[in-house]
């Protein structure tokens, strides 16, 4: 009889590509991963991994068994989901990830409501960029991820995931208080063509969106400063170092010395929750999505 935990270890190795990655995904030591794989090899009487430089690779037998392991674990997920649905109780552990402003803007209210309504539910959370959150759900490292895409730039979504909309998060432009356009009731992005921009780090989904959007308006952005946190971006605007676009969710208190001006064209990012379809019937996921949606309605009211 194949041991389920050993199959889970093999599946983690196949998904992460290394012993250390599998250990991190399973929240165990690398020694524990190696021991489980050794026991699995002994159990089936075939070699599953081989040395590959400083790392390891799956043998043909390892690839074959890993494919079966993925299907078996998916069926186990279906079974657990059905049992939870049959019991109808929101219990157990739920692992949720979100990009930083969603974690700040949604998690406190949503988690407080969940803890009050469902004391048998244990919540675990972490901050992840949208693409990383999607990958974590696909790998099974997270049960739910709160992700985003912009109105004109969708986030690629692999098969096997379900999703639910949480909110549309409007974005505004932020200028130094003494800027020549700071007293305007609204602005178009192309009016800021000659400005220094403060935005997210290179490679971040939101920076890609900003560059894509400005170029679509025949504006080549001059990115002078990069900062991951919106609070840092706003502080830099207040110091007169440039302008930025900032969404409303999780924005927090706007510092003195800046002016927030609505954009003439409604620009919004769509915030939604994603989870694996084989866990679709879990009451804990449904309860979490409902709580996140309610928190989103309050956060943007």
């Amino acid at each position: 009889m194949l041991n389920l935990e050993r199959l889970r270890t093999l599946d983690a190795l196949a998904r992460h590509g290394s012993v250390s990655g599998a250990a991190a995904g399973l929240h165990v030591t690398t020694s524990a991963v190696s021991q489980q794989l050794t026991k699995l090899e002994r159990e089936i009487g075939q070699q599953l991994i081989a040395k590959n430089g400083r790392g390891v690779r799956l043998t043909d037998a390892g690839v074959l068994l890993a494919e079966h392991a993925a299907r078996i674990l998916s069926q186990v997920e279906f079974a657990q989901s059905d049992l939870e649905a049959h019991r109808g109780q929101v219990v157990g552990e739920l692992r949720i990830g979100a990009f930083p402003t969603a974690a700040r803007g949604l998690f406190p209210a949503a988690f407080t409501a969940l803890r009050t309504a469902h004391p048998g539910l244990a919540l675990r959370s972490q901050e992840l960029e949208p693409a990383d959150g999607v990958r974590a759900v696909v790998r099974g490292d997270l049960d739910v991820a709160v992700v985003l895409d912009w109105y004109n730039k969708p986030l690629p979504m692999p098969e096997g995931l379900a999703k639910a909309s949480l909110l549309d998060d409007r974005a505004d432009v932020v200028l130094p208080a003494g800027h020549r356009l700071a007293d305007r009731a609204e602005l178009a992005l192309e009016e800021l063509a000659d400005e220094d921009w403060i935005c997210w780090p290179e490679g971040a989904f939101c920076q890609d969106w900003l560059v894509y959007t400005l170029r679509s308006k025949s504006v080549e952005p001059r990115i002078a400063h990069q900062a991951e946190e919106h609070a840092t971006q706003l502080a830099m605007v207040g110091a007169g170092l440039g302008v930025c676009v900032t969404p409303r969710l999780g924005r927090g208190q706007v510092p003195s010395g800046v002016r927030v001006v609505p954009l003439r064209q409604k620009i919004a990012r769509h915030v939604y929750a994603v989870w694996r379809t084989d866990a679709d019937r879990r009451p804990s996921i449904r309860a979490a999505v409902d709580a996140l949606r309610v928190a989103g309605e309050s956060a943007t009211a």
Side-chain angles (χ1 to χ4, degrees):
M1 179 72 69
L2 292 170
N3 180 281
L4 190 61
E5 287 308 308
R6 293 168 195 163
L7 290 179
R8 199 180 303 278
T9 302
L10 179 65
D11 177 67
L13 178 65
R15 287 186 286 105
H16 292 278
S18 67
V19 172
S20 60
L26 295 170
H27 305 290
V28 298
T29 65
T30 55
S31 176
V33 170
S34 297
Q35 289 175 18
Q36 289 283 58
L37 293 173
T38 298
K39 290 178 180 178
L40 184 57
E41 287 181 326
R42 189 161 54 242
E43 186 176 43
I44 67 169
Q46 295 188 56
Q47 184 179 358
L48 298 174
I49 59 174
K51 289 186 178 180
N52 184 32
R54 295 184 178 181
V56 298
R57 62 172 178 81
L58 291 176
T59 64
D60 289 345
V63 170
L64 179 63
L65 186 56
E67 291 173 351
H68 283 290
R71 289 193 291 270
I72 291 168
L73 293 171
S74 180
Q75 286 300 119
V76 170
E77 186 78 45
F78 271 123
Q80 291 174 335
S81 179
D82 282 346
L83 285 171
E84 282 191 32
H86 180 72
R87 183 168 53 182
Q89 295 179 335
V90 180
V91 295
E93 182 179 87
L94 194 69
R95 301 158 299 167
I96 306 180
F99 58 94
T101 51
R104 182 165 62 248
L106 300 179
F107 280 1
F111 288 3
T112 297
L114 285 168
R115 187 170 56 184
T116 300
H118 309 290
L121 180 64
L123 294 164
R124 304 287 182 266
S125 69
Q126 64 183 111
E127 287 187 359
L128 288 170
E129 286 301 311
D132 294 330
V134 169
R135 285 191 289 268
V137 171
V138 171
R139 290 196 306 264
D141 298 335
L142 288 178
D143 299 305
V144 179
V146 179
V147 300
L148 67 91
D149 54 27
W150 289 89
Y151 75 104
N152 60 346
K153 192 172 179 62
L155 179 70
M157 193 65 56
E159 294 183 359
L161 296 184
K163 70 177 185 179
S165 177
L166 299 178
L167 69 143
D168 282 347
D169 184 22
R170 289 283 299 272
D172 303 303
V173 66
V174 184
L175 312 169
H179 193 280
R180 60 186 174 83
L181 300 175
D183 292 330
R184 293 278 295 276
E186 60 182 16
L187 283 169
L189 279 177
E190 50 266 40
E191 295 181 83
L192 302 169
D194 297 327
E195 302 294 333
D196 284 341
W197 282 91
I198 301 163
C199 75
W200 300 268
E202 187 173 354
F205 183 71
C206 287
Q207 195 210 72
D208 292 343
W209 163 80
L210 180 64
V211 172
Y212 170 83
T213 301
L214 289 171
R215 285 176 177 170
S216 72
K217 299 179 181 297
S218 300
V219 175
E220 184 61 35
R222 188 168 65 242
I223 298 175
H225 306 284
Q226 299 179 16
E228 186 169 351
E229 289 293 327
H230 288 186
T232 305
Q233 294 179 15
L234 294 177
M236 297 179 82
V237 173
L241 300 176
V243 302
C244 74
V245 168
T246 180
R248 297 175 183 179
L249 177 65
R251 181 185 294 171
Q253 185 174 0
V254 176
S256 60
V258 306
R259 173 74 192 278
V260 178
V261 181
L263 286 160
R264 184 174 302 145
Q265 177 190 11
K266 179 182 176 181
I267 290 180
R269 55 184 189 174
H270 309 304
V271 182
Y272 50 97
V274 298
W275 62 93
R276 295 183 305 281
T277 53
D278 55 16
D280 195 51
R281 296 188 64 198
R282 289 179 60 184
S284 56
I285 289 178
R286 294 296 177 183
V289 171
D290 288 343
L292 289 165
R293 186 179 289 117
V294 170
E297 292 172 355
S298 300
T300 55

